[in-house]
Amino acid sequence: MTHSTVDNARSGLVYLTLVAGVLGLPWLAWVIGAPALIVAIVLAWPGLNRIPRVIVSAVLLAVAVALAVDPALLSDGLMTITRLAALVVAVMLLSHALGRSRHLSVISEHLFAGRALTRYLSITFGTLFLAMPLNFGSVSVVSTLIGREIDGHGDSSGARNAARAVLRGFGSASVCSPLSIAVVLTLTLVPGLHGWQLLSLTFPLAAGYLLTGTLFREPEHAPLTDEARSRPPQVLPSWLFFGGCIGLICVCTFVSRAAFGLAYAQAVTCSCLLVVAIGLIASPGERRLPRMDGIANELAIICGSAFLGATLSAFVAAGLDTDFALPAWAFPGIAFGLPWALFAGGLIGMNPLILVTLAGGLSSRLWPEAAGLGLAIAMVSGWGLTIAGTPYSANALLVQRLTGYDNWRATVGWSLKLSLLALAVASSLAAATTLVLMR
């Protein structure tokens, strides 16, 4: 087959997985969704990076072992990767649809205007806001602008602070965005938990993290009067446009869950696709769907890590005695230690999805349902702080590629003290919440 034929086949298989994830039927995940995704990623093997190749190899080995031992152990893993793959594709489609809007360039210009502190806060909270509908697209957009700033004016404290801001802003989105994969997966795995319960505690945590970040940046000299940059004259309509898109997605997500009983990941996927459909209808000349053969690395990392975590948790749960139970003191201890474990894993290249999926997969078996909120806080806060402060996260590597800043320097070098402080606060909150809810 020619390269074009293989690429078309990969794109078609990815869209097939999207259909299976939207329908959400378990047998579709077994027969169509997960197999189509695995074949699409294997066909992309020559273009995969080292870490995705390791993950894919581990997935294939886990599938072989499970088929030999007990095929039922694959059920949760295959359903998880099908739903996550559908979510990733839906978010990519949403990013493609919104990325063509002129409002995005207006917001981007607005983020880099103003004084040093105002600019830093604008980029952090702006990246968080843009990450809700755009996910990785927000990192790409803002990092591209930082790269242009460096190309045009050279390296500067302002550019370095902007790089800090985009990493921290995107990391905080994983903590408090109802559309982030971290929040979606956590709400899917932890039983008896509602989104408003989690976000009511994690949003203040994320906001505190971003505000505290103002203390962990470089001092900047005020620009001369003739060098000051002006903000776009009408930025409010652009913010309202993106705010309306986010609001529509959130409302549709919660309504579809309440009215139709959809799983959280499935509800977010369908809500994102609704906004994409509206955008396609409103743009008669832009009704062709983009190709999806270029996101194999992302799908391999996200879905492969989730599969390994879900399958590993199934193996562990199957090996536990029916009477096995953790002592009461272990639950707040686990809630306290999980964010630190995720961060430590991120320092050596382990994706937080593996440990989060493992913890979430075992929660229905071992964790007291009444204290699920404490575990959820540990999962999403550890995830967000890991991708913001460790060098091998996808967003850190993307910032390195677009700005030239070394990934270790931009994460550990610039933000280690902030990360340790935030980890201490987040883990304490998770442990305290678990302890209180267990009483």
Side-chain angles (χ1 to χ4, degrees):
M1 291 191 296
T2 64
H3 288 294
S4 177
T5 303
V6 173
D7 292 342
N8 290 335
R10 285 163 47 200
S11 184
L13 289 169
V14 170
Y15 275 114
L16 192 60
T17 304
L18 171 64
V19 173
V22 169
L23 296 178
L25 300 175
W27 69 269
L28 279 178
W30 266 89
V31 178
I32 296 178
L37 179 66
I38 292 174
V39 172
I41 294 174
V42 170
L43 289 176
W45 184 268
L48 293 181
N49 297 330
R50 179 176 59 86
I51 292 179
R53 286 187 177 188
V54 173
I55 292 175
V56 171
S57 300
V59 167
L60 295 176
L61 177 61
V63 170
V65 172
L67 288 175
V69 176
D70 183 4
L73 296 173
L74 293 173
S75 297
D76 290 341
L78 295 179
M79 194 69 228
T80 296
I81 64 172
T82 301
R83 286 176 174 171
L84 276 185
L87 176 64
V88 171
V89 176
V91 168
M92 291 294 185
L93 288 173
L94 182 64
S95 177
H96 174 79
L98 297 182
R100 300 195 308 268
S101 170
R102 64 177 180 82
H103 296 291
L104 188 60
S105 60
V106 173
I107 291 177
S108 300
E109 293 175 11
H110 175 74
L111 293 177
F112 280 89
R115 299 177 180 177
L117 178 59
T118 304
R119 180 171 63 252
Y120 175 84
L121 291 174
S122 296
I123 294 175
T124 52
F125 283 97
T127 303
L128 186 159
F129 186 81
L130 289 177
M132 293 186 183
L134 297 182
N135 203 274
F136 279 105
S138 63
V139 179
S140 177
V141 168
V142 183
S143 296
T144 298
L145 294 178
I146 298 173
R148 291 176 183 173
E149 167 73 12
I150 295 172
D151 292 339
H153 302 279
D155 187 20
S156 66
S157 57
R160 291 190 292 272
N161 283 334
R164 289 177 171 90
V166 68
L167 285 169
R168 296 168 185 176
F170 182 73
S172 65
S174 295
V175 178
C176 67
S177 168
L179 308 180
S180 73
I181 294 175
V183 171
V184 170
L185 184 61
T186 297
L187 292 176
T188 301
L189 294 175
V190 179
L193 187 63
H194 298 285
W196 65 267
Q197 295 174 304
L198 178 61
L199 298 180
S200 64
L201 292 178
T202 57
F203 186 82
L205 189 65
Y209 169 70
L210 294 184
L211 292 174
T212 305
T214 60
L215 304 176
F216 296 88
R217 59 191 179 94
E218 296 180 43
E220 298 182 38
H221 298 292
L224 301 176
T225 304
D226 56 349
E227 297 178 348
R229 302 181 184 182
S230 59
R231 294 188 173 187
Q234 294 184 345
V235 72
L236 182 60
S238 298
W239 284 109
L240 291 176
F241 171 79
F242 276 90
C245 292
I246 294 170
L248 178 60
I249 293 171
C250 293
V251 169
C252 291
T253 296
F254 293 122
V255 169
S256 59
R257 289 202 76 198
F260 304 107
L262 300 183
Y264 195 84
Q266 187 182 11
V268 174
T269 300
C270 294
S271 300
C272 290
L273 292 177
L274 175 62
V275 174
V276 171
I278 293 174
L280 291 175
I281 294 173
S283 304
E286 296 288 345
R287 289 183 177 175
R288 294 185 60 183
L289 293 175
R291 298 171 60 90
M292 285 294 163
D293 54 287
I295 61 171
N297 281 292
E298 291 84 351
L299 289 174
I301 292 174
I302 294 173
C303 299
S305 299
F307 174 83
L308 291 175
T311 304
L312 182 59
S313 66
F315 271 106
V316 174
L320 295 176
D321 295 331
T322 56
D323 295 332
F324 179 83
L326 292 172
W329 58 265
F331 299 110
I334 293 173
F336 183 89
L338 183 58
W340 296 92
L342 291 170
F343 192 84
L347 291 175
I348 60 174
M350 179 184 291
N351 192 285
L353 256 170
I354 297 176
L355 288 179
V356 165
T357 309
L358 175 60
L362 291 175
S363 64
S364 59
R365 170 73 172 79
L366 300 174
W367 202 269
E369 184 173 336
L373 180 58
L375 177 62
I377 293 172
M379 291 165 66
V380 297
S381 62
W383 187 321
L385 294 174
T386 297
I387 66 172
T390 58
Y392 298 112
S393 62
N395 51 300
L397 296 174
L398 183 59
V399 168
Q400 179 188 36
R401 179 162 61 87
L402 295 176
T403 67
Y405 290 131
D406 178 72
N407 56 320
W408 273 91
R409 181 189 181 200
T411 53
V412 178
W414 290 344
S415 298
L416 181 59
K417 292 181 180 179
L418 174 62
S419 297
L420 295 177
L421 176 61
L423 282 169
V425 173
S427 58
S428 298
L429 176 62
T433 303
T434 302
L435 191 61
V436 169
L437 294 178
M438 287 179 60
R439 294 180 177 177

